[in-house]
Amino acid sequence: MSNAAPTPGDRNSPSGTDGPGSQAPKAPGTSTPGTSTPGTSAPGGSDSPTRRTQSGKPSAGKPGRAGKQPKAAKPYKSSDDWGVFRAVVIGVGILVAGFGLYNLITGTAGLPDGAGGEVNPTLESQYRFFAAMMVGVGAAFVAIAVKFQWANMLWLVCLMVFLGGIGRVLSWAFSGTPHFTFIVLMIVELAFPPALLVWHRFIAKTSDLRREYSQQAGGDTGIAGGSR
């Protein structure tokens, strides 16, 4: 009798081990040469999720850093320029008001050369009146410094003090040399008001320049930030 027809597994191998159902199962994650499993790649492959630095350590790719934004210009504050000026005006106002209050209370008896003399009621009335005016001038200085919206009235108050110094000059010319204290007051009353007005004008000019510079710097910063 003839032999049975060979099966498909017997065509290539006499032992029949190369058939479709005779291959051993492969372990997960292993691959044969020339093949690759999901999640792995050959060394040097272009699909590597990490980059290697010069030291050989892998590092994740990072997007390029954006350029640093320029710092915003510091907002301008007018108090930065006027702080010392306002403090000086307040000090002057308190000094003038205190001196006027002292003369209002003591009258002519508080004068250096007036103690022990006969009191003249007419002179006393006039003297106390101007002493009260001096208190008002000092209060005006303080009010202008505190509520600085009234700074435009500073020239009027300074003019009042300056005219008081002119009155002391006329008294010296027509009535003789006063006490040394009043000579010092006369010099202060003639020199301080113009100096204060010049100082005020100088700060106003520089304050305007700084405000314009701050606005220009802020505009340039906004343009630079928008162009990035």
Side-chain angles (χ1 to χ4, degrees):
M1 295 180 67
S2 61
N3 295 331
T7 61
D10 298 336
R11 292 178 183 179
N12 297 327
S13 176
S15 59
T17 59
D18 293 337
S22 62
Q23 294 182 356
K26 298 179 181 180
T30 62
S31 61
T32 60
T35 61
S36 61
T37 58
T40 63
S41 61
S46 60
D47 57 347
S48 175
T50 60
R51 298 178 182 176
R52 293 185 177 273
T53 61
Q54 295 178 357
S55 61
K57 295 181 180 180
S59 60
K62 296 181 180 179
R65 295 182 179 178
K68 294 183 179 180
Q69 296 292 337
K71 294 182 179 180
K74 183 180 179 181
Y76 171 78
K77 295 181 181 180
S78 60
S79 59
D80 298 339
D81 297 332
W82 294 103
V84 177
F85 181 84
R86 295 174 70 177
V88 171
V89 174
I90 289 176
V92 171
I94 293 175
L95 183 63
V96 173
F99 188 73
L101 184 62
Y102 171 79
N103 291 328
L104 179 63
I105 295 174
T106 60
T108 56
L111 296 175
D113 296 336
E118 184 179 356
V119 177
N120 187 335
T122 303
L123 179 62
E124 192 73 24
S125 175
Q126 190 72 0
Y127 185 81
R128 291 178 187 269
F129 170 78
F130 285 113
M133 296 291 290
M134 188 178 295
V135 174
V137 171
F141 274 115
V142 175
I144 290 173
V146 172
K147 193 172 180 62
F148 212 57
Q149 287 81 357
W150 299 341
N152 293 329
M153 298 299 295
L154 185 64
W155 66 271
L156 180 60
V157 182
C158 289
L159 179 61
M160 294 171 62
V161 177
F162 183 81
L163 291 178
I166 295 295
R168 294 187 188 275
V169 172
L170 295 176
S171 175
W172 191 356
F174 294 112
S175 302
T177 304
H179 191 269
F180 176 74
T181 303
F182 292 92
I183 295 177
V184 174
L185 289 176
M186 178 189 67
I187 296 174
V188 172
E189 291 164 355
L190 292 176
F192 179 76
L196 190 64
L197 292 177
V198 170
W199 189 14
H200 176 271
R201 188 62 179 172
F202 172 77
I203 296 179
K205 286 290 186 180
T206 56
S207 179
D208 292 340
L209 292 176
R210 291 184 180 182
R211 184 182 297 107
E212 293 178 1
Y213 175 77
S214 177
Q215 292 175 354
Q216 292 178 359
D220 294 342
T221 303
I223 294 175
S227 62
R228 291 183 178 272

PDB file of all heavy atoms in Angstrom, residues 108-132:
ATOM      1  N   THR A 108       2.566 144.594  73.969  1.00  0.00           N
ATOM      2  CA  THR A 108       3.845 145.320  73.935  1.00  0.00           C
ATOM      3  C   THR A 108       4.732 144.967  75.126  1.00  0.00           C
ATOM      4  O   THR A 108       5.935 145.219  75.097  1.00  0.00           O
ATOM      5  CB  THR A 108       3.585 146.828  73.923  1.00  0.00           C
ATOM      6  OG1 THR A 108       2.779 147.198  75.059  1.00  0.00           O
ATOM      7  CG2 THR A 108       2.858 147.248  72.652  1.00  0.00           C
ATOM      8  N   ALA A 109       4.142 144.370  76.162  1.00  0.00           N
ATOM      9  CA  ALA A 109       4.962 143.976  77.319  1.00  0.00           C
ATOM     10  C   ALA A 109       5.914 142.849  76.959  1.00  0.00           C
ATOM     11  O   ALA A 109       6.927 142.642  77.643  1.00  0.00           O
ATOM     12  CB  ALA A 109       4.058 143.550  78.477  1.00  0.00           C
ATOM     13  N   GLY A 110       5.636 142.114  75.897  1.00  0.00           N
ATOM     14  CA  GLY A 110       6.505 141.030  75.499  1.00  0.00           C
ATOM     15  C   GLY A 110       7.675 141.460  74.637  1.00  0.00           C
ATOM     16  O   GLY A 110       8.540 140.634  74.310  1.00  0.00           O
ATOM     17  N   LEU A 111       7.745 142.732  74.278  1.00  0.00           N
ATOM     18  CA  LEU A 111       8.859 143.228  73.482  1.00  0.00           C
ATOM     19  C   LEU A 111      10.120 143.341  74.337  1.00  0.00           C
ATOM     20  O   LEU A 111      10.043 143.624  75.543  1.00  0.00           O
ATOM     21  CB  LEU A 111       8.507 144.591  72.879  1.00  0.00           C
ATOM     22  CG  LEU A 111       7.338 144.596  71.890  1.00  0.00           C
ATOM     23  CD1 LEU A 111       7.013 146.033  71.475  1.00  0.00           C
ATOM     24  CD2 LEU A 111       7.663 143.741  70.688  1.00  0.00           C
ATOM     25  N   PRO A 112      11.290 143.154  73.714  1.00  0.00           N
ATOM     26  CA  PRO A 112      12.531 143.223  74.499  1.00  0.00           C
ATOM     27  C   PRO A 112      12.754 144.577  75.169  1.00  0.00           C
ATOM     28  O   PRO A 112      13.247 144.646  76.291  1.00  0.00           O
ATOM     29  CB  PRO A 112      13.625 142.940  73.452  1.00  0.00           C
ATOM     30  CG  PRO A 112      12.928 142.176  72.376  1.00  0.00           C
ATOM     31  CD  PRO A 112      11.542 142.715  72.339  1.00  0.00           C
ATOM     32  N   ASP A 113      12.356 145.691  74.527  1.00  0.00           N
ATOM     33  CA  ASP A 113      12.560 147.029  75.081  1.00  0.00           C
ATOM     34  C   ASP A 113      11.286 147.633  75.646  1.00  0.00           C
ATOM     35  O   ASP A 113      11.273 148.811  76.030  1.00  0.00           O
ATOM     36  CB  ASP A 113      13.107 147.970  73.992  1.00  0.00           C
ATOM     37  CG  ASP A 113      14.475 147.534  73.503  1.00  0.00           C
ATOM     38  OD1 ASP A 113      15.173 146.837  74.280  1.00  0.00           O
ATOM     39  OD2 ASP A 113      14.828 147.864  72.348  1.00  0.00           O
ATOM     40  N   GLY A 114      10.210 146.868  75.729  1.00  0.00           N
ATOM     41  CA  GLY A 114       8.939 147.436  76.161  1.00  0.00           C
ATOM     42  C   GLY A 114       8.573 147.116  77.593  1.00  0.00           C
ATOM     43  O   GLY A 114       7.567 147.618  78.098  1.00  0.00           O
ATOM     44  N   ALA A 115       9.321 146.268  78.274  1.00  0.00           N
ATOM     45  CA  ALA A 115       8.962 145.891  79.639  1.00  0.00           C
ATOM     46  C   ALA A 115       9.228 147.045  80.602  1.00  0.00           C
ATOM     47  O   ALA A 115      10.252 147.718  80.534  1.00  0.00           O
ATOM     48  CB  ALA A 115       9.754 144.663  80.066  1.00  0.00           C
ATOM     49  N   GLY A 116       8.289 147.270  81.503  1.00  0.00           N
ATOM     50  CA  GLY A 116       8.468 148.281  82.556  1.00  0.00           C
ATOM     51  C   GLY A 116       8.067 149.682  82.156  1.00  0.00           C
ATOM     52  O   GLY A 116       8.080 150.582  82.994  1.00  0.00           O
ATOM     53  N   GLY A 117       7.688 149.887  80.881  1.00  0.00           N
ATOM     54  CA  GLY A 117       7.294 151.232  80.463  1.00  0.00           C
ATOM     55  C   GLY A 117       5.803 151.446  80.635  1.00  0.00           C
ATOM     56  O   GLY A 117       5.037 150.543  80.968  1.00  0.00           O
ATOM     57  N   GLU A 118       5.380 152.665  80.367  1.00  0.00           N
ATOM     58  CA  GLU A 118       3.969 153.003  80.461  1.00  0.00           C
ATOM     59  C   GLU A 118       3.215 152.421  79.261  1.00  0.00           C
ATOM     60  O   GLU A 118       3.679 152.504  78.132  1.00  0.00           O
ATOM     61  CB  GLU A 118       3.804 154.518  80.489  1.00  0.00           C
ATOM     62  CG  GLU A 118       2.369 154.982  80.679  1.00  0.00           C
ATOM     63  CD  GLU A 118       2.251 156.490  80.724  1.00  0.00           C
ATOM     64  OE1 GLU A 118       3.298 157.160  80.681  1.00  0.00           O
ATOM     65  OE2 GLU A 118       1.102 156.978  80.789  1.00  0.00           O
ATOM     66  N   VAL A 119       2.048 151.874  79.549  1.00  0.00           N
ATOM     67  CA  VAL A 119       1.264 151.228  78.509  1.00  0.00           C
ATOM     68  C   VAL A 119       0.472 152.282  77.745  1.00  0.00           C
ATOM     69  O   VAL A 119      -0.234 153.103  78.335  1.00  0.00           O
ATOM     70  CB  VAL A 119       0.319 150.175  79.105  1.00  0.00           C
ATOM     71  CG1 VAL A 119      -0.557 149.558  78.023  1.00  0.00           C
ATOM     72  CG2 VAL A 119       1.114 149.102  79.825  1.00  0.00           C
ATOM     73  N   ASN A 120       0.567 152.248  76.430  1.00  0.00           N
ATOM     74  CA  ASN A 120      -0.203 153.127  75.554  1.00  0.00           C
ATOM     75  C   ASN A 120      -1.354 152.317  74.963  1.00  0.00           C
ATOM     76  O   ASN A 120      -1.115 151.403  74.173  1.00  0.00           O
ATOM     77  CB  ASN A 120       0.696 153.669  74.439  1.00  0.00           C
ATOM     78  CG  ASN A 120       0.007 154.727  73.601  1.00  0.00           C
ATOM     79  OD1 ASN A 120      -1.212 154.761  73.517  1.00  0.00           O
ATOM     80  ND2 ASN A 120       0.809 155.577  72.971  1.00  0.00           N
ATOM     81  N   PRO A 121      -2.595 152.613  75.349  1.00  0.00           N
ATOM     82  CA  PRO A 121      -3.716 151.784  74.877  1.00  0.00           C
ATOM     83  C   PRO A 121      -3.840 151.759  73.360  1.00  0.00           C
ATOM     84  O   PRO A 121      -4.161 150.714  72.781  1.00  0.00           O
ATOM     85  CB  PRO A 121      -4.937 152.433  75.521  1.00  0.00           C
ATOM     86  CG  PRO A 121      -4.405 153.143  76.716  1.00  0.00           C
ATOM     87  CD  PRO A 121      -3.050 153.636  76.328  1.00  0.00           C
ATOM     88  N   THR A 122      -3.591 152.871  72.702  1.00  0.00           N
ATOM     89  CA  THR A 122      -3.701 152.906  71.243  1.00  0.00           C
ATOM     90  C   THR A 122      -2.636 152.015  70.594  1.00  0.00           C
ATOM     91  O   THR A 122      -2.927 151.232  69.693  1.00  0.00           O
ATOM     92  CB  THR A 122      -3.557 154.337  70.742  1.00  0.00           C
ATOM     93  OG1 THR A 122      -4.555 155.164  71.367  1.00  0.00           O
ATOM     94  CG2 THR A 122      -3.730 154.401  69.238  1.00  0.00           C
ATOM     95  N   LEU A 123      -1.426 152.167  71.076  1.00  0.00           N
ATOM     96  CA  LEU A 123      -0.348 151.324  70.556  1.00  0.00           C
ATOM     97  C   LEU A 123      -0.593 149.847  70.858  1.00  0.00           C
ATOM     98  O   LEU A 123      -0.339 148.976  70.017  1.00  0.00           O
ATOM     99  CB  LEU A 123       0.980 151.776  71.151  1.00  0.00           C
ATOM    100  CG  LEU A 123       2.211 150.976  70.735  1.00  0.00           C
ATOM    101  CD1 LEU A 123       2.431 151.064  69.236  1.00  0.00           C
ATOM    102  CD2 LEU A 123       3.434 151.459  71.504  1.00  0.00           C
ATOM    103  N   GLU A 124      -1.131 149.598  72.047  1.00  0.00           N
ATOM    104  CA  GLU A 124      -1.399 148.207  72.427  1.00  0.00           C
ATOM    105  C   GLU A 124      -2.458 147.582  71.515  1.00  0.00           C
ATOM    106  O   GLU A 124      -2.340 146.425  71.101  1.00  0.00           O
ATOM    107  CB  GLU A 124      -1.875 148.172  73.878  1.00  0.00           C
ATOM    108  CG  GLU A 124      -1.917 146.802  74.506  1.00  0.00           C
ATOM    109  CD  GLU A 124      -0.525 146.274  74.816  1.00  0.00           C
ATOM    110  OE1 GLU A 124       0.398 147.092  74.976  1.00  0.00           O
ATOM    111  OE2 GLU A 124      -0.379 145.045  74.890  1.00  0.00           O
ATOM    112  N   SER A 125      -3.505 148.356  71.200  1.00  0.00           N
ATOM    113  CA  SER A 125      -4.564 147.848  70.325  1.00  0.00           C
ATOM    114  C   SER A 125      -4.025 147.538  68.927  1.00  0.00           C
ATOM    115  O   SER A 125      -4.320 146.481  68.357  1.00  0.00           O
ATOM    116  CB  SER A 125      -5.687 148.884  70.242  1.00  0.00           C
ATOM    117  OG  SER A 125      -6.674 148.485  69.310  1.00  0.00           O
ATOM    118  N   GLN A 126      -3.251 148.455  68.396  1.00  0.00           N
ATOM    119  CA  GLN A 126      -2.709 148.246  67.064  1.00  0.00           C
ATOM    120  C   GLN A 126      -1.713 147.069  67.020  1.00  0.00           C
ATOM    121  O   GLN A 126      -1.698 146.291  66.072  1.00  0.00           O
ATOM    122  CB  GLN A 126      -2.035 149.531  66.577  1.00  0.00           C
ATOM    123  CG  GLN A 126      -1.627 149.536  65.128  1.00  0.00           C
ATOM    124  CD  GLN A 126      -2.811 149.625  64.175  1.00  0.00           C
ATOM    125  OE1 GLN A 126      -3.974 149.679  64.599  1.00  0.00           O
ATOM    126  NE2 GLN A 126      -2.518 149.613  62.870  1.00  0.00           N
ATOM    127  N   TYR A 127      -0.934 146.994  68.065  1.00  0.00           N
ATOM    128  CA  TYR A 127       0.069 145.933  68.107  1.00  0.00           C
ATOM    129  C   TYR A 127      -0.580 144.557  68.170  1.00  0.00           C
ATOM    130  O   TYR A 127      -0.164 143.620  67.470  1.00  0.00           O
ATOM    131  CB  TYR A 127       0.990 146.145  69.309  1.00  0.00           C
ATOM    132  CG  TYR A 127       2.128 145.168  69.384  1.00  0.00           C
ATOM    133  CD1 TYR A 127       3.277 145.347  68.624  1.00  0.00           C
ATOM    134  CD2 TYR A 127       2.055 144.050  70.220  1.00  0.00           C
ATOM    135  CE1 TYR A 127       4.321 144.447  68.685  1.00  0.00           C
ATOM    136  CE2 TYR A 127       3.095 143.147  70.292  1.00  0.00           C
ATOM    137  CZ  TYR A 127       4.229 143.350  69.525  1.00  0.00           C
ATOM    138  OH  TYR A 127       5.266 142.450  69.585  1.00  0.00           O
ATOM    139  N   ARG A 128      -1.603 144.401  69.002  1.00  0.00           N
ATOM    140  CA  ARG A 128      -2.269 143.110  69.111  1.00  0.00           C
ATOM    141  C   ARG A 128      -3.028 142.761  67.829  1.00  0.00           C
ATOM    142  O   ARG A 128      -3.169 141.590  67.476  1.00  0.00           O
ATOM    143  CB  ARG A 128      -3.208 143.102  70.313  1.00  0.00           C
ATOM    144  CG  ARG A 128      -2.483 143.144  71.655  1.00  0.00           C
ATOM    145  CD  ARG A 128      -3.473 143.184  72.814  1.00  0.00           C
ATOM    146  NE  ARG A 128      -2.805 143.396  74.088  1.00  0.00           N
ATOM    147  CZ  ARG A 128      -2.374 142.398  74.884  1.00  0.00           C
ATOM    148  NH1 ARG A 128      -2.545 141.142  74.528  1.00  0.00           N
ATOM    149  NH2 ARG A 128      -1.783 142.681  76.040  1.00  0.00           N
ATOM    150  N   PHE A 129      -3.524 143.777  67.147  1.00  0.00           N
ATOM    151  CA  PHE A 129      -4.195 143.522  65.879  1.00  0.00           C
ATOM    152  C   PHE A 129      -3.226 142.895  64.867  1.00  0.00           C
ATOM    153  O   PHE A 129      -3.541 141.888  64.218  1.00  0.00           O
ATOM    154  CB  PHE A 129      -4.765 144.830  65.311  1.00  0.00           C
ATOM    155  CG  PHE A 129      -5.263 144.708  63.899  1.00  0.00           C
ATOM    156  CD1 PHE A 129      -6.496 144.131  63.623  1.00  0.00           C
ATOM    157  CD2 PHE A 129      -4.494 145.168  62.836  1.00  0.00           C
ATOM    158  CE1 PHE A 129      -6.953 144.024  62.316  1.00  0.00           C
ATOM    159  CE2 PHE A 129      -4.941 145.064  61.534  1.00  0.00           C
ATOM    160  CZ  PHE A 129      -6.176 144.486  61.266  1.00  0.00           C
ATOM    161  N   PHE A 130      -2.050 143.490  64.720  1.00  0.00           N
ATOM    162  CA  PHE A 130      -1.084 142.948  63.774  1.00  0.00           C
ATOM    163  C   PHE A 130      -0.513 141.602  64.246  1.00  0.00           C
ATOM    164  O   PHE A 130      -0.109 140.775  63.429  1.00  0.00           O
ATOM    165  CB  PHE A 130       0.049 143.954  63.540  1.00  0.00           C
ATOM    166  CG  PHE A 130      -0.371 145.102  62.664  1.00  0.00           C
ATOM    167  CD1 PHE A 130      -0.465 146.390  63.180  1.00  0.00           C
ATOM    168  CD2 PHE A 130      -0.669 144.891  61.329  1.00  0.00           C
ATOM    169  CE1 PHE A 130      -0.841 147.443  62.369  1.00  0.00           C
ATOM    170  CE2 PHE A 130      -1.053 145.955  60.511  1.00  0.00           C
ATOM    171  CZ  PHE A 130      -1.147 147.236  61.026  1.00  0.00           C
ATOM    172  N   ALA A 131      -0.516 141.398  65.563  1.00  0.00           N
ATOM    173  CA  ALA A 131      -0.099 140.089  66.068  1.00  0.00           C
ATOM    174  C   ALA A 131      -1.095 139.010  65.641  1.00  0.00           C
ATOM    175  O   ALA A 131      -0.704 137.891  65.258  1.00  0.00           O
ATOM    176  CB  ALA A 131       0.024 140.125  67.587  1.00  0.00           C
ATOM    177  N   ALA A 132      -2.392 139.342  65.675  1.00  0.00           N
ATOM    178  CA  ALA A 132      -3.406 138.391  65.220  1.00  0.00           C
ATOM    179  C   ALA A 132      -3.280 138.152  63.714  1.00  0.00           C
ATOM    180  O   ALA A 132      -3.484 137.023  63.232  1.00  0.00           O
ATOM    181  CB  ALA A 132      -4.800 138.913  65.559  1.00  0.00           C
TER     182      ALA A 132
END
